[in-house]
Amino acid sequence: MATTVVAVFAVVYLGMILGGLPFLQLDRTGIALLGAIAIVGLGVLTPEEAAQSIHLPTLLLLFSFMVISAQMRLGGFYTRVTLQITELRLSPAALLAVVIAVVGTLSAVFSNDIICLAIAPVLADACLARRLDPVPYLLGLACAANVGSAATLIGNPQNMLIGQVLELSFLGYFLEAAVPVLLGLAATWGVIAWQTRGRWRTVLDNPPPERRQDYAPYDRWQSVKGLAVAAALLAMFLFSDLPRDVAALAGAGLLLMSRKLHSNKMLGLVDWELLILFIGLFVVNHALEQTGLTELAVQSLADAGVTLAEPAPLFVATLLLSNVVSNVPAVMLLLPAATEPFSGPMLALVSTLAGNLFIVGSIANIIVVAAARRRGIAIDWRSHARAGVPVTLVTLAITAAWFALRH
């Protein structure tokens, strides 16, 4: 049976690396789901055991914040904020700084992927209308969304997973992450501004008209409702011991009770594929753990002098795995080794910051590049890497120095 589990695990994680499987129309979510089906279908786990392997608090927290973000999108909040930023009479470099600061702040509270999905098209159109080259601003958006989301345990899916499984203090983690994130956002601006110096303007003589009719109209009441629920949840997370998943689920339930926004619109914006990806990986990883092979592998590394419970090996392993299999699968693999007080914060920060290295390292990057392409703006892997690689190296160096000082 162990051979069967290893075979399924290997195929699933090969799919995570490749983003699909040859000759099959499958993405990472489809591969993870088929892996879970194979584990149950082959009798490795019963359906009940598979269900028990799923970490429900993480899924509930993730789902709840997807609903809250959907409220903000349908209320036109993200569009309104983006348009107000781009209408500021600032120099191009100062405008980039504001974009990075605002995106980093929003990503710490709402999902970084949702922030990019909502802001990228509006930001691209607004830059073209001002005859500004949109590429530096879109790269700043993607990088800042990743860096900013590392500030809290609700900023991105992997942080939610780490916080829930390791039962980390929300305030304690924020205090640990705040300095490297703030310095990382400043470094992101410095890298992109330095690379773009003297080349802020677009070569388009006739910029395309703004597509405001394509944007969600601003609804003050719906936006205020979403912000009020988000602020109340932040206060609860910071100053109470109420389970985060329960509090967030109650907040999502309040928003679903609306006389204007139909629930099917809000639920239609929930990223069900991401939730299924989590479910599939939970089942496959649990099946592998049941064989005892993961514990044996960790012990073999320790015997070879590589102890994942120590800072340097965990830092390097998180960086490498996050760029090989993506950050969520990497975190799932490394969570059993997170046994020290520094382990959770290090996993969260490094797995998130590593996402800026290449386009495929983060869903936020892919969303921004796709939005740019629909506007006729080319951001290939070289363009992204020119900014993403130095941003990643600098932010990780800052994080490594911070952990060295703290621990």
Side-chain angles (χ1 to χ4, degrees):
M1 192 63 74
T3 303
T4 301
V5 174
V6 170
V8 172
F9 179 86
V11 171
V12 168
Y13 274 83
L14 177 64
M16 295 298 111
I17 295 170
L18 300 177
L21 291 176
F23 312 113
L24 294 174
Q25 296 298 313
L26 287 171
D27 59 8
R28 287 185 173 92
T29 299
I31 294 163
L33 177 59
L34 282 180
I37 292 172
I39 291 295
V40 174
L42 294 171
V44 177
L45 296 176
T46 65
E48 292 77 13
E49 289 171 334
Q52 290 171 1
S53 72
I54 297 166
H55 197 263
L56 190 57
T58 299
L59 291 183
L60 292 178
L61 184 64
L62 187 55
F63 166 79
S64 300
F65 271 89
M66 287 178 180
V67 171
I68 295 169
S69 287
Q71 169 83 22
M72 306 302 289
R73 285 182 66 189
L74 292 172
F77 173 77
Y78 299 132
T79 299
R80 176 67 174 268
V81 169
T82 307
L83 291 174
Q84 287 184 336
I85 291 171
T86 55
E87 288 168 1
L88 296 173
R89 297 295 101 186
L90 298 172
S91 68
L95 181 62
L96 176 65
V98 174
V99 168
I100 287 174
V102 172
V103 168
T105 301
L106 290 175
S107 297
V109 181
F110 305 103
S111 169
N112 58 342
D113 299 344
I114 296 295
I115 296 297
C116 288
L117 193 63
I119 288 180
V122 185
L123 181 61
D125 291 344
C127 286
L128 291 174
R130 286 186 59 171
R131 288 185 167 81
L132 290 172
D133 182 359
V135 172
Y137 297 94
L138 292 172
L139 291 174
L141 165 63
C143 291
N146 288 323
V147 175
S149 72
T152 68
L153 292 174
I154 56 172
N156 55 57
Q158 66 269 17
N159 280 21
M160 292 184 187
L161 173 63
I162 293 165
Q164 292 297 99
V165 172
L166 299 182
E167 298 181 346
L168 298 181
S169 161
F170 192 89
L171 179 59
Y173 173 79
F174 175 74
L175 294 175
E176 184 81 46
V179 171
V181 167
L182 288 173
L183 293 177
L185 290 172
T188 299
W189 175 82
V191 167
I192 297 175
W194 182 79
Q195 290 183 342
T196 315
R197 62 195 188 283
R199 294 179 288 105
W200 294 100
R201 298 294 171 180
T202 181
V203 296
L204 294 178
D205 294 326
N206 298 309
E210 289 190 26
R211 309 183 189 187
R212 297 205 178 199
Q213 69 277 6
D214 297 338
Y215 310 151
Y218 179 64
D219 187 315
R220 182 186 297 273
W221 169 240
Q222 300 300 335
S223 296
V224 168
K225 273 204 318 184
L227 287 172
V229 168
L233 288 175
L234 277 178
M236 289 183 194
F237 296 165
L238 288 168
F239 306 115
S240 80
D241 295 327
L242 187 68
R244 289 194 285 271
D245 54 313
V246 175
L249 198 60
L254 286 174
L255 293 178
L256 284 171
M257 293 188 297
S258 173
R259 297 180 62 185
K260 186 174 182 180
L261 294 180
H262 200 287
S263 60
N264 64 1
K265 290 185 178 180
M266 297 182 69
L267 294 177
L269 293 177
V270 169
D271 191 346
W272 297 104
E273 289 194 10
L274 180 59
L275 296 175
I276 293 172
L277 173 68
F278 267 74
I279 290 171
L281 291 177
F282 275 132
V283 174
V284 172
N285 287 355
H286 180 71
L288 186 68
E289 287 175 19
Q290 292 290 91
T291 66
L293 292 174
T294 53
E295 186 177 347
L296 181 62
V298 171
Q299 185 58 50
S300 298
L301 286 173
D303 293 340
V306 181
T307 305
L308 289 179
E310 294 180 355
L314 183 62
F315 190 102
V316 173
T318 305
L319 172 60
L320 294 177
L321 277 175
S322 293
N323 278 285
V324 173
V325 299
S326 187
N327 42 29
V328 169
V331 165
M332 286 191 174
L333 287 174
L334 292 170
L335 268 174
T339 56
E340 300 297 326
F342 68 84
S343 301
M346 180 176 284
L347 263 180
L349 280 163
V350 176
S351 64
T352 302
L353 298 177
N356 278 327
L357 191 64
F358 300 117
I359 289 177
V360 295
S362 166
I363 298 297
N365 300 340
I366 296 171
I367 289 171
V368 170
V369 170
R373 186 184 302 117
R374 287 192 293 270
R375 259 57 181 180
I377 303 163
I379 302 178
D380 58 18
W381 71 269
R382 290 186 182 86
S383 302
H384 179 274
R386 195 175 298 118
V389 170
V391 164
T392 303
L393 294 178
V394 172
T395 54
L396 286 175
I398 291 169
T399 302
W402 177 247
F403 276 103
L405 287 173
R406 295 272 292 174
H407 302 283

